[in-house]
Amino acid sequence: MSSLSRRMTAALLAVLLAACATPQGTVVLLPEAGGRDTSVVVAQGGKEVVLDQPYAGAKLASTGPQKYSSNAAEVQTQFGAAMAALPGRPAQFTLYFVEGKDEFTDASKQNIDSVFAEIASRPVPDVLVIGHTDKVGSDTSNDVLSRQRAEVVRKALIVRGIAPENVVAVGRGKREPVVPTDAGVAEPRNRRVEILVR
Amino acid sequence: MNLVTQGCRRSLLAGLVAATSAWIGFTTVAAASEIGQIKVSKGQVTVDRKGEALSGSVGLRLETADVVKTGADGSVGITMGDNSLLSAGPNSILALEHFDFDPTTSQGRFDAQLQRGTLAVISGRIAKQSPQAMTVRTPSAALGVRGTEFVVSAHE
């Protein structure tokens, strides 16, 4: 093979490779509040790269994913419209109850206003209300009580104008204490309703 | 009552509606279960469901196998039943291929495909509970989501 045809072959190969490596997309890991350990594994054409640092990126191409460093400005340019459409993050609230009853503690009566405010701030809120008890009493009585507590909150939300089909009330009894205790122990922090607004 | 029984009630209701429609001679409607909801919708947004194009407006409840499409001026934000958040930019096609989730155990599986366009993802309880359980694909690549926030684009 002459030097010229070798060069032409090399040029042709380069063109072909470039064609193969036509970008098919981009993946970028975003920084996360709270600094949890997170990662995305990008698999393509039998090759894999792991993105585990903020703004670690991968260019997708038929030759396999290529790692690169992205940044906030580039992400904004390429993905700004998509990111602007992200729904509000689910918000969680906890309200506490008087022992053995479905009445709020005085402190929690104040807090319920912030729950309403959060719901009102969302265009189509859906709300999950989960009632819990402490470990005083039987499973059955606590299942009933936890459900009653959740229903109290659900009704309060409906009275304030939330559509009934958008609020679900659930009782979990004494199964999920925040503070683990022995059976029969009265623990105010476990007598609660969790409210998830999304 | 939990989310599962609520889902069952909805399925029962849908079944009832389907049975009634069949009885009076209309096409039978399959029992459906909801997996997420459109929370943000700008410009042109449509949802393809079983050959039908629905308007992708705010509040629309989504089902497995729905395909969400945005036009040149469109963008859409979705909250899934496990708290995953997905939002697509203009000229995007997002298929919600598979979603199942048990709210009591947080076990489930979520597979979505971005066929075209741009997508932002904040994963929810499914990916947090089991790191192998959520996958976002593009026509050429598969992303294993280990509980995280990321963006992805797919060119045609």
Side-chain angles (χ1 to χ4, degrees):
Chain A
M1 216 193 285
S2 76
S3 140
L4 181 66
S5 62
R6 265 205 304 270
R7 258 181 285 162
M8 280 178 68
T9 313
L12 187 67
L13 266 174
V15 168
L16 282 174
L17 270 174
C20 288
T22 300
Q24 297 173 330
T26 307
V27 186
V28 180
L29 189 74
L30 300 180
E32 193 158 357
R36 285 191 292 149
D37 282 342
T38 63
S39 63
V40 169
V41 181
V42 183
Q44 190 182 29
K47 293 175 188 163
E48 238 181 47
V49 298
V50 179
L51 310 180
D52 56 6
Q53 297 295 321
Y55 296 113
K59 299 273 190 202
L60 306 177
S62 51
T63 47
Q66 291 293 316
K67 277 187 92 163
Y68 80 108
S69 289
S70 184
N71 55 66
E74 189 202 59
V75 167
Q76 186 56 37
T77 305
Q78 283 188 35
F79 297 96
M83 290 174 68
L86 269 172
R89 284 160 200 261
Q92 190 163 347
F93 300 88
T94 309
L95 300 176
Y96 297 91
F97 286 80
V98 178
E99 186 176 356
K101 295 189 177 173
D102 59 9
E103 285 167 24
F104 294 125
T105 61
D106 287 340
S108 285
K109 279 178 195 158
Q110 317 279 320
N111 287 342
I112 199 154
D113 282 340
S114 55
V115 179
F116 290 124
E118 180 66 40
I119 294 172
S121 76
R122 295 182 184 241
V124 277
D126 65 280
V127 184
L128 179 61
V129 183
I130 307 167
H132 301 277
T133 67
D134 62 19
K135 293 197 173 180
V136 177
S138 70
D139 281 351
T140 324
S141 66
N142 278 316
D143 282 355
V144 172
L145 179 58
S146 66
R147 178 61 194 274
Q148 275 172 2
R149 286 173 173 167
E151 279 296 339
V152 165
V153 175
R154 181 172 184 271
K155 281 178 188 144
L157 295 174
I158 292 168
V159 165
R160 299 267 293 246
I162 313 296
E165 65 267 27
N166 291 338
V167 196
V168 175
V170 181
R172 293 262 166 85
K174 56 184 179 185
R175 292 173 192 80
E176 289 175 30
V178 245
V179 182
T181 67
D182 290 333
V185 175
E187 172 51 66
R189 285 169 290 179
N190 291 337
R191 296 193 292 266
R192 70 201 194 278
V193 161
E194 289 165 346
I195 304 167
L196 189 68
V197 182
R198 59 187 182 190
Chain B
M1 186 181 69
N2 59 26
L3 281 178
V4 175
T5 54
Q6 194 209 19
C8 287
R9 282 187 184 184
R10 287 224 174 90
S11 302
L12 269 173
L13 191 67
L16 213 69
V17 170
T20 314
S21 309
W23 179 65
I24 51 173
F26 291 107
T27 319
T28 307
V29 179
S33 64
E34 137 202 357
I35 60 171
Q37 189 178 34
I38 293 183
K39 299 286 193 182
V40 177
S41 180
K42 289 175 196 153
Q44 193 199 342
V45 180
T46 55
V47 175
D48 287 357
R49 178 178 300 163
K50 299 181 187 95
E52 202 182 343
L54 310 174
S55 165
S57 37
V58 169
L60 181 73
R61 296 182 188 272
L62 297 167
E63 301 175 5
T64 288
D66 279 355
V67 178
V68 184
K69 297 179 176 177
T70 59
D73 63 343
S75 60
V76 63
I78 298 165
T79 300
M80 300 298 290
D82 75 325
N83 291 349
S84 298
L85 308 178
L86 287 85
S87 59
N91 293 318
S92 298
I93 304 176
L94 173 68
L96 303 173
E97 294 178 323
H98 181 90
F99 183 89
D100 68 77
F101 175 60
D102 179 338
T104 307
T105 61
S106 285
Q107 299 285 350
R109 168 128 216 113
F110 185 12
D111 296 303
Q113 186 180 20
L114 180 70
Q115 291 167 5
R116 186 180 80 193
T118 53
L119 179 71
V121 178
I122 301 178
S123 64
R125 290 173 63 190
I126 289 175
K128 195 175 181 185
Q129 180 69 24
S130 37
Q132 315 293 327
M134 181 175 177
T135 306
V136 176
R137 294 189 299 117
T138 73
S140 67
L143 317 183
V145 182
R146 309 288 184 257
T148 197
E149 298 178 23
F150 66 95
V151 286
V152 54
S153 65
H155 311 308
E156 277 180 318

Short mmCIF file of all heavy atoms in Angstrom, two decimals, chain B residues 2-9 101-104:
data_model
loop_
_atom_site.label_atom_id
_atom_site.label_comp_id
_atom_site.label_asym_id
_atom_site.label_seq_id
_atom_site.Cartn_x
_atom_site.Cartn_y
_atom_site.Cartn_z
N ASN B 2 -55.42 1.53 52.71
CA ASN B 2 -54.13 2.05 52.25
C ASN B 2 -54.22 2.32 50.75
O ASN B 2 -55.28 2.22 50.14
CB ASN B 2 -53.01 1.06 52.58
CG ASN B 2 -53.26 -0.29 51.94
OD1 ASN B 2 -53.93 -0.38 50.92
ND2 ASN B 2 -52.72 -1.32 52.55
N LEU B 3 -53.07 2.70 50.18
CA LEU B 3 -53.07 3.06 48.76
C LEU B 3 -53.47 1.87 47.88
O LEU B 3 -54.09 2.05 46.83
CB LEU B 3 -51.69 3.56 48.34
CG LEU B 3 -51.39 4.99 48.75
CD1 LEU B 3 -50.00 5.37 48.33
CD2 LEU B 3 -52.41 5.95 48.14
N VAL B 4 -53.08 0.66 48.34
CA VAL B 4 -53.39 -0.52 47.54
C VAL B 4 -54.89 -0.71 47.48
O VAL B 4 -55.47 -0.89 46.40
CB VAL B 4 -52.70 -1.77 48.13
CG1 VAL B 4 -53.12 -3.02 47.36
CG2 VAL B 4 -51.20 -1.61 48.10
N THR B 5 -55.56 -0.61 48.67
CA THR B 5 -57.01 -0.80 48.64
C THR B 5 -57.67 0.33 47.88
O THR B 5 -58.67 0.12 47.21
CB THR B 5 -57.60 -0.92 50.07
OG1 THR B 5 -57.18 0.22 50.79
CG2 THR B 5 -57.17 -2.18 50.74
N GLN B 6 -57.09 1.53 47.97
CA GLN B 6 -57.64 2.63 47.19
C GLN B 6 -57.56 2.31 45.70
O GLN B 6 -58.51 2.51 44.96
CB GLN B 6 -56.90 3.93 47.49
CG GLN B 6 -57.66 5.13 46.97
CD GLN B 6 -56.77 6.28 46.59
OE1 GLN B 6 -55.58 6.10 46.39
NE2 GLN B 6 -57.35 7.44 46.47
N GLY B 7 -56.37 1.78 45.31
CA GLY B 7 -56.16 1.38 43.92
C GLY B 7 -57.19 0.33 43.51
O GLY B 7 -57.77 0.40 42.44
N CYS B 8 -57.44 -0.64 44.45
CA CYS B 8 -58.40 -1.71 44.19
C CYS B 8 -59.78 -1.11 43.96
O CYS B 8 -60.50 -1.51 43.07
CB CYS B 8 -58.46 -2.69 45.36
SG CYS B 8 -57.02 -3.74 45.42
N ARG B 9 -60.14 -0.12 44.84
CA ARG B 9 -61.45 0.52 44.68
C ARG B 9 -61.56 1.16 43.31
O ARG B 9 -62.58 1.03 42.65
CB ARG B 9 -61.65 1.58 45.75
CG ARG B 9 -62.02 0.98 47.08
CD ARG B 9 -62.37 2.05 48.05
NE ARG B 9 -62.64 1.44 49.35
CZ ARG B 9 -63.05 2.11 50.41
NH1 ARG B 9 -63.21 3.40 50.32
NH2 ARG B 9 -63.26 1.51 51.55
N PHE B 101 -45.63 -0.25 42.74
CA PHE B 101 -45.10 0.26 43.99
C PHE B 101 -46.01 -0.13 45.14
O PHE B 101 -47.21 0.07 45.08
CB PHE B 101 -45.01 1.80 43.90
CG PHE B 101 -44.57 2.45 45.18
CD1 PHE B 101 -43.34 2.15 45.74
CD2 PHE B 101 -45.39 3.37 45.82
CE1 PHE B 101 -42.94 2.76 46.93
CE2 PHE B 101 -44.99 3.99 47.00
CZ PHE B 101 -43.77 3.67 47.56
N ASP B 102 -45.42 -0.73 46.18
CA ASP B 102 -46.15 -1.06 47.40
C ASP B 102 -45.79 0.00 48.44
O ASP B 102 -44.66 0.03 48.93
CB ASP B 102 -45.73 -2.46 47.86
CG ASP B 102 -46.44 -2.86 49.16
OD1 ASP B 102 -46.90 -1.97 49.90
OD2 ASP B 102 -46.52 -4.07 49.41
N PRO B 103 -46.74 0.89 48.79
CA PRO B 103 -46.40 2.00 49.69
C PRO B 103 -46.01 1.55 51.10
O PRO B 103 -45.33 2.28 51.82
CB PRO B 103 -47.67 2.86 49.72
CG PRO B 103 -48.75 2.02 49.17
CD PRO B 103 -48.13 0.94 48.33
N THR B 104 -46.43 0.36 51.51
CA THR B 104 -46.09 -0.11 52.85
C THR B 104 -44.63 -0.54 52.93
O THR B 104 -43.93 -0.22 53.89
CB THR B 104 -47.01 -1.29 53.25
OG1 THR B 104 -48.37 -0.88 53.06
CG2 THR B 104 -46.81 -1.68 54.70
#
